[in-house]
Amino acid sequence: MSAGGDDRPAIGGPAELLAFAYRLEADAEERYAMLADQMEVHNNPDVAALFRKLAAIEGKHAAEIAERLAGIGAPTPGLFEVEWPGVEGPETVDFGDAHYLMTPWHALKLALKAEQRAFAFFDGVARTAENAEVRAAAEAFAAEEEEHVRLVERELDRHRSPDESWSFDPDPAGSGSAP
Ligand code: ZN
């Protein structure tokens, strides 16, 4: 169905982009809040605080986007009302991996991947959308996600990789996480 024939959903107009962006931010907020809970359980208060901060950032974005949707008379999409190429949104942290999380480093690696996927999603839309308004809005969203990537990267710098007693690697191929 999508024009390019790839796995990216076709985004025809600004309302559609905002609907995707809303779900992306709202889902991310929820997942970061859950990760924060998990870090608290594992007694990692500083990383819990980072995830609370990320949840707040994403939640603020979601609220702003909901306002923009209301402003153009479009509904705020519910959980299953946008069709992502995969099962979950591009910014969603994979909880199949997350239940293994025992260190801040692991949690941050997952967060980094989620933010990188979110950036790639908006960047892809910005490059390929035919509608100029959609391209401009996608560029702005991509820039925000790039900031989130940097925020998580800075935090990763402060939390060195775990010692050899940890065998679980959320990113075994080292795929694309190097600058
Ligand atoms: Zn983000």
Side-chain angles (χ1 to χ4, degrees):
M1 240 353 238
S2 74
D6 55 33
D7 61 357
R8 190 172 298 127
I11 292 177
E16 218 175 330
L17 176 67
L18 287 173
F20 274 103
Y22 175 80
R23 284 286 9 135
L24 192 149
E25 309 282 9
D27 293 354
E29 176 191 17
E30 188 183 322
R31 298 310 168 104
Y32 280 133
M34 287 171 76
L35 275 178
D37 290 345
Q38 206 164 26
M39 287 298 102
E40 271 158 18
V41 167
H42 290 298
N43 208 14
N44 289 313
D46 56 335
V47 179
L50 171 72
F51 285 131
R52 294 269 175 245
K53 184 176 165 184
L54 284 165
I57 290 171
E58 308 290 10
K60 191 163 166 271
H61 285 171
E64 284 166 6
I65 295 163
E67 257 177 55
R68 285 166 70 181
L69 279 164
I72 58 174
T76 302
L79 191 51
F80 299 109
E81 285 169 19
V82 299
E83 256 185 58
W84 298 100
V87 175
E88 300 192 276
E91 195 162 18
T92 303
V93 172
D94 186 345
F95 269 69
D97 290 341
H99 88 273
Y100 291 101
L101 293 180
M102 297 300 283
T103 73
W105 183 84
H106 286 138
L108 288 165
K109 287 296 272 188
L110 287 180
L112 181 63
K113 283 170 76 175
E115 297 298 338
Q116 284 170 335
R117 283 199 303 268
F119 168 76
F121 172 75
F122 287 122
D123 188 55
V125 174
R127 287 171 199 279
T128 57
E130 283 170 24
N131 182 307
E133 209 180 322
V134 169
R135 281 200 305 273
E139 262 169 40
F141 283 126
E144 281 170 2
E145 297 305 338
E146 208 172 11
E147 267 178 45
H148 298 172
V149 169
R150 293 215 193 90
L151 184 69
V152 176
E153 277 174 347
R154 278 200 298 275
E155 212 57 33
L156 264 170
D157 280 346
R158 297 175 41 206
H159 294 88
R160 292 291 157 200
S161 30
D163 63 37
E164 296 79 50
S165 64
W166 284 97
S167 55
F168 172 68
D169 183 359
D171 191 14
S175 55
S177 51

